Amino acid sequence: MVDDNCRSTTCLLVLCGLPGAGKTSIARKLVEYINERNESAEQCATPKIIVHHVCFDDIASDYARGSVSGASGHTFSAAFDPTVWKAAREHAYAQIEERLLARQARLKASEESSSRTAAEQLGGGLVVDSGNLVYELLVADDNMYYRSMRHSLFLRARSYGAAYVQLHVATDVAQAIAGNKQRPLTAQVSDTIIERMAGLFEKPNAEIYQWESTSVTATLATTR
Protein backbone atom coordinates (compact mmCIF):
# COMPACT_ATOMS: atom_id res chain seq x y z
CA MET A 1 0.00 0.00 0.00
CA VAL A 2 2.87 2.36 0.77
CA ASP A 3 4.28 1.83 -2.72
CA ASP A 4 0.89 2.67 -4.24
CA ASN A 5 0.80 5.85 -2.18
CA CYS A 6 4.25 6.84 -3.45
CA ARG A 7 3.39 6.25 -7.12
CA SER A 8 -0.07 7.80 -7.27
CA THR A 9 -0.70 11.37 -8.37
CA THR A 10 -4.08 11.33 -6.60
CA CYS A 11 -4.63 11.15 -2.86
CA LEU A 12 -7.80 10.60 -0.86
CA LEU A 13 -7.43 12.35 2.50
CA VAL A 14 -10.02 11.22 5.05
CA LEU A 15 -10.63 13.44 8.07
CA CYS A 16 -12.11 11.88 11.18
CA GLY A 17 -12.95 13.14 14.66
CA LEU A 18 -15.78 14.31 16.89
CA PRO A 19 -18.18 17.08 15.83
CA GLY A 20 -16.65 20.45 16.70
CA ALA A 21 -13.07 19.14 16.57
CA GLY A 22 -12.11 21.50 13.76
CA LYS A 23 -12.05 19.13 10.78
CA THR A 24 -13.88 21.43 8.39
CA SER A 25 -11.73 24.39 9.44
CA ILE A 26 -8.63 22.36 8.63
CA ALA A 27 -10.07 21.30 5.27
CA ARG A 28 -10.96 24.86 4.28
CA LYS A 29 -7.55 26.20 5.30
CA LEU A 30 -5.92 23.41 3.31
CA VAL A 31 -7.97 24.29 0.22
CA GLU A 32 -7.05 27.96 0.64
CA TYR A 33 -3.35 27.13 1.04
CA ILE A 34 -3.28 24.87 -2.03
CA ASN A 35 -5.06 27.44 -4.19
CA GLU A 36 -2.53 30.07 -3.16
CA ARG A 37 0.28 27.61 -3.87
CA ASN A 38 -1.10 26.94 -7.33
CA GLU A 39 -0.87 30.64 -8.17
CA SER A 40 2.85 30.64 -7.40
CA ALA A 41 3.25 27.25 -9.11
CA GLU A 42 2.39 28.85 -12.44
CA GLN A 43 5.40 31.12 -12.09
CA CYS A 44 7.76 28.43 -10.80
CA ALA A 45 6.73 25.73 -13.31
CA THR A 46 5.97 23.27 -10.50
CA PRO A 47 3.14 20.71 -10.64
CA LYS A 48 -0.32 21.99 -9.71
CA ILE A 49 -2.61 20.37 -7.17
CA ILE A 50 -6.34 20.17 -7.85
CA VAL A 51 -8.19 19.91 -4.55
CA HIS A 52 -11.78 18.79 -3.98
CA HIS A 53 -13.41 19.22 -0.56
CA VAL A 54 -16.35 16.90 0.08
CA CYS A 55 -17.94 18.06 3.35
CA PHE A 56 -20.50 15.53 4.55
CA ASP A 57 -22.15 18.07 6.90
CA ASP A 58 -22.70 20.56 4.08
CA ILE A 59 -24.23 17.86 1.89
CA ALA A 60 -26.47 16.70 4.75
CA SER A 61 -27.63 20.28 5.33
CA ASP A 62 -28.38 20.79 1.62
CA TYR A 63 -30.08 17.43 1.45
CA ALA A 64 -32.31 18.20 4.40
CA ARG A 65 -33.38 21.43 2.71
CA GLY A 66 -34.17 19.58 -0.49
CA SER A 67 -31.59 21.56 -2.46
CA VAL A 68 -29.77 18.44 -3.67
CA SER A 69 -30.99 16.62 -6.76
CA GLY A 70 -33.04 13.67 -5.58
CA ALA A 71 -33.61 15.14 -2.13
CA SER A 72 -36.93 16.83 -2.82
CA GLY A 73 -39.71 16.15 -0.38
CA HIS A 74 -37.52 16.65 2.68
CA THR A 75 -38.25 19.58 4.96
CA PHE A 76 -35.33 21.04 6.89
CA SER A 77 -35.38 20.34 10.59
CA ALA A 78 -32.79 20.64 13.33
CA ALA A 79 -33.91 17.24 14.60
CA PHE A 80 -31.91 14.22 13.43
CA ASP A 81 -33.57 12.39 10.55
CA PRO A 82 -31.91 9.00 9.89
CA THR A 83 -33.43 8.80 6.41
CA VAL A 84 -31.94 12.12 5.37
CA TRP A 85 -28.64 11.25 7.07
CA LYS A 86 -28.35 7.99 5.15
CA ALA A 87 -29.31 9.56 1.83
CA ALA A 88 -26.83 12.41 2.32
CA ARG A 89 -24.00 10.01 3.14
CA GLU A 90 -24.72 7.97 0.05
CA HIS A 91 -24.64 11.20 -1.97
CA ALA A 92 -21.27 12.16 -0.45
CA TYR A 93 -19.79 8.73 -1.15
CA ALA A 94 -21.08 8.96 -4.72
CA GLN A 95 -19.35 12.34 -5.14
CA ILE A 96 -16.06 10.86 -3.97
CA GLU A 97 -16.37 7.84 -6.24
CA GLU A 98 -17.30 10.08 -9.17
CA ARG A 99 -14.10 12.10 -8.63
CA LEU A 100 -12.00 8.94 -8.43
CA LEU A 101 -13.64 7.51 -11.54
CA ALA A 102 -13.04 10.73 -13.48
CA ARG A 103 -9.41 10.65 -12.40
CA GLN A 104 -9.05 7.08 -13.64
CA ALA A 105 -10.59 7.99 -16.98
CA ARG A 106 -8.19 10.93 -17.40
CA LEU A 107 -5.18 8.74 -16.60
CA LYS A 108 -6.28 6.13 -19.11
CA ALA A 109 -6.72 8.76 -21.82
CA SER A 110 -3.29 10.22 -20.98
CA GLU A 111 -1.61 6.80 -21.11
CA GLU A 112 -3.17 6.06 -24.50
CA SER A 113 -2.01 9.42 -25.81
CA SER A 114 1.51 8.83 -24.45
CA SER A 115 1.62 5.38 -26.00
CA ARG A 116 0.73 6.80 -29.41
CA THR A 117 3.40 9.47 -29.05
CA ALA A 118 6.02 6.93 -27.97
CA ALA A 119 5.25 4.67 -30.92
CA GLU A 120 5.93 7.54 -33.29
CA GLN A 121 9.34 8.33 -31.78
CA LEU A 122 12.54 6.68 -32.99
CA GLY A 123 13.83 4.27 -30.39
CA GLY A 124 10.46 4.19 -28.67
CA GLY A 125 11.53 6.57 -25.88
CA LEU A 126 8.68 8.21 -23.95
CA VAL A 127 9.02 11.91 -23.31
CA VAL A 128 7.25 13.15 -20.19
CA ASP A 129 6.52 16.85 -19.87
CA SER A 130 6.76 17.46 -16.12
CA GLY A 131 5.24 20.90 -16.61
CA ASN A 132 1.92 19.26 -17.43
CA LEU A 133 1.92 17.03 -14.35
CA VAL A 134 -1.10 17.64 -12.14
CA TYR A 135 -1.75 16.17 -8.71
CA GLU A 136 -5.19 15.76 -7.18
CA LEU A 137 -6.22 15.85 -3.53
CA LEU A 138 -9.69 14.68 -2.57
CA VAL A 139 -10.64 15.58 1.02
CA ALA A 140 -13.44 13.57 2.66
CA ASP A 141 -14.58 15.62 5.66
CA ASP A 142 -16.73 13.74 8.15
CA ASN A 143 -16.76 12.26 11.66
CA MET A 144 -15.96 8.75 10.35
CA TYR A 145 -16.15 7.42 13.90
CA TYR A 146 -16.53 3.80 12.84
CA ARG A 147 -13.50 2.13 11.30
CA SER A 148 -15.77 0.51 8.72
CA MET A 149 -16.71 3.97 7.41
CA ARG A 150 -13.06 4.78 6.78
CA HIS A 151 -12.29 1.34 5.39
CA SER A 152 -15.04 1.78 2.83
CA LEU A 153 -13.20 4.83 1.50
CA PHE A 154 -9.84 3.05 1.66
CA LEU A 155 -11.23 0.31 -0.60
CA ARG A 156 -12.54 2.91 -3.04
CA ALA A 157 -9.16 4.66 -3.16
CA ARG A 158 -7.33 1.38 -3.72
CA SER A 159 -9.72 0.23 -6.44
CA TYR A 160 -9.07 3.42 -8.41
CA GLY A 161 -5.31 3.50 -7.80
CA ALA A 162 -5.35 6.53 -5.50
CA ALA A 163 -3.22 7.00 -2.40
CA TYR A 164 -5.02 6.94 0.95
CA VAL A 165 -4.23 9.03 4.05
CA GLN A 166 -6.16 9.56 7.31
CA LEU A 167 -6.07 12.62 9.54
CA HIS A 168 -7.55 12.05 12.98
CA VAL A 169 -8.39 15.37 14.65
CA ALA A 170 -8.30 14.33 18.30
CA THR A 171 -10.23 16.17 21.03
CA ASP A 172 -11.78 15.30 24.35
CA VAL A 173 -15.54 15.60 24.82
CA ALA A 174 -15.39 18.99 26.57
CA GLN A 175 -13.31 20.50 23.76
CA ALA A 176 -15.60 19.06 21.10
CA ILE A 177 -18.70 20.44 22.83
CA ALA A 178 -17.08 23.88 23.09
CA GLY A 179 -16.06 23.77 19.43
CA ASN A 180 -19.52 22.62 18.41
CA LYS A 181 -21.09 25.67 20.06
CA GLN A 182 -18.91 27.92 17.88
CA ARG A 183 -20.43 26.51 14.71
CA PRO A 184 -23.51 27.97 12.99
CA LEU A 185 -26.71 26.96 14.75
CA THR A 186 -27.87 24.79 11.85
CA ALA A 187 -24.57 22.87 11.94
CA GLN A 188 -24.58 22.15 15.67
CA VAL A 189 -25.42 18.78 17.18
CA SER A 190 -26.54 18.00 20.70
CA ASP A 191 -24.07 17.40 23.52
CA THR A 192 -25.61 13.94 23.88
CA ILE A 193 -24.65 13.02 20.32
CA ILE A 194 -21.06 14.13 20.88
CA GLU A 195 -20.84 12.16 24.13
CA ARG A 196 -22.31 9.07 22.50
CA MET A 197 -20.02 9.34 19.48
CA ALA A 198 -16.98 9.71 21.74
CA GLY A 199 -17.88 6.38 23.34
CA LEU A 200 -18.25 4.70 19.96
CA PHE A 201 -15.25 6.31 18.22
CA GLU A 202 -12.75 3.83 16.82
CA LYS A 203 -9.40 5.60 16.60
CA PRO A 204 -6.98 4.69 13.80
CA ASN A 205 -4.81 1.77 14.89
CA ALA A 206 -2.03 0.91 12.46
CA GLU A 207 -0.62 -1.78 14.75
CA ILE A 208 -3.68 -3.94 14.20
CA TYR A 209 -5.00 -2.61 10.89
CA GLN A 210 -2.23 -2.25 8.32
CA TRP A 211 -4.40 -0.24 5.95
CA GLU A 212 -4.45 2.54 8.59
CA SER A 213 -0.66 2.84 8.52
CA THR A 214 -0.85 6.16 6.65
CA SER A 215 -2.57 7.95 9.53
CA VAL A 216 -1.72 11.21 11.27
CA THR A 217 -3.20 12.51 14.52
CA ALA A 218 -3.59 16.23 15.24
CA THR A 219 -4.75 17.70 18.54
CA LEU A 220 -7.17 20.57 19.05
CA ALA A 221 -4.35 22.88 20.13
CA THR A 222 -2.69 22.54 16.72
CA THR A 223 -5.85 23.12 14.68
CA ARG A 224 -7.32 26.28 16.20
Side-chain angles (χ1 to χ4, degrees):
M1 190 188 108
V2 175
D3 288 343
D4 290 340
N5 277 0
C6 291
R7 287 194 300 265
S8 181
T9 57
T10 298
C11 176
L12 173 59
L13 171 61
V14 175
L15 305 185
C16 63
L18 297 177
K23 300 181 300 297
T24 300
S25 295
I26 290 175
R28 288 173 178 166
K29 288 178 181 178
L30 181 60
V31 170
E32 181 180 358
Y33 168 78
I34 290 176
N35 288 336
E36 290 177 354
R37 176 198 174 280
N38 284 338
E39 292 179 4
S40 61
E42 293 181 357
Q43 302 174 356
C44 301
T46 55
K48 288 186 178 181
I49 302 174
I50 299 175
V51 58
H52 309 285
H53 177 202
V54 180
C55 180
F56 281 55
D57 282 349
D58 287 349
I59 293 174
S61 179
D62 291 342
Y63 221 96
R65 289 183 173 86
S67 58
V68 175
S69 177
S72 59
H74 294 297
T75 302
F76 177 75
S77 171
F80 175 73
D81 184 335
T83 302
V84 173
W85 178 83
K86 181 179 179 181
R89 291 190 69 80
E90 290 176 351
H91 190 94
Y93 281 121
Q95 273 196 20
I96 293 170
E97 190 147 6
E98 181 180 343
R99 294 289 188 184
L100 292 172
L101 181 60
R103 173 256 183 198
Q104 188 180 58
R106 285 193 299 272
L107 284 179
K108 183 177 180 181
S110 177
E111 289 172 357
E112 292 175 350
S113 177
S114 296
S115 296
R116 287 194 299 270
T117 301
E120 295 170 357
Q121 294 177 353
L122 292 177
L126 180 61
V127 177
V128 178
D129 182 0
S130 60
N132 292 329
L133 182 61
V134 175
Y135 292 96
E136 292 185 65
L137 177 63
L138 181 55
V139 183
D141 174 9
D142 186 47
N143 302 310
M144 298 287 172
Y145 57 96
Y146 283 137
R147 183 168 287 104
S148 60
M149 295 174 174
R150 305 191 297 269
H151 190 248
S152 172
L153 290 176
F154 164 76
L155 293 177
R156 284 175 167 87
R158 187 174 67 173
S159 67
Y160 290 107
Y164 178 86
V165 178
Q166 293 182 159
L167 175 59
H168 173 212
V169 185
T171 58
D172 59 32
V173 173
Q175 290 173 320
I177 290 175
N180 178 59
K181 294 186 185 304
Q182 296 177 22
R183 302 198 297 181
L185 185 61
T186 55
Q188 293 182 21
V189 299
S190 70
D191 293 356
T192 302
I193 288 179
I194 294 177
E195 292 168 351
R196 179 176 179 273
M197 192 177 295
L200 296 172
F201 199 95
E202 297 174 344
K203 299 178 182 179
N205 188 339
E207 293 183 2
I208 298 178
Y209 304 96
Q210 186 178 3
W211 63 271
E212 291 194 297
S213 61
T214 50
S215 298
V216 178
T217 297
T219 62
L220 181 66
T222 63
T223 61
R224 294 291 182 184

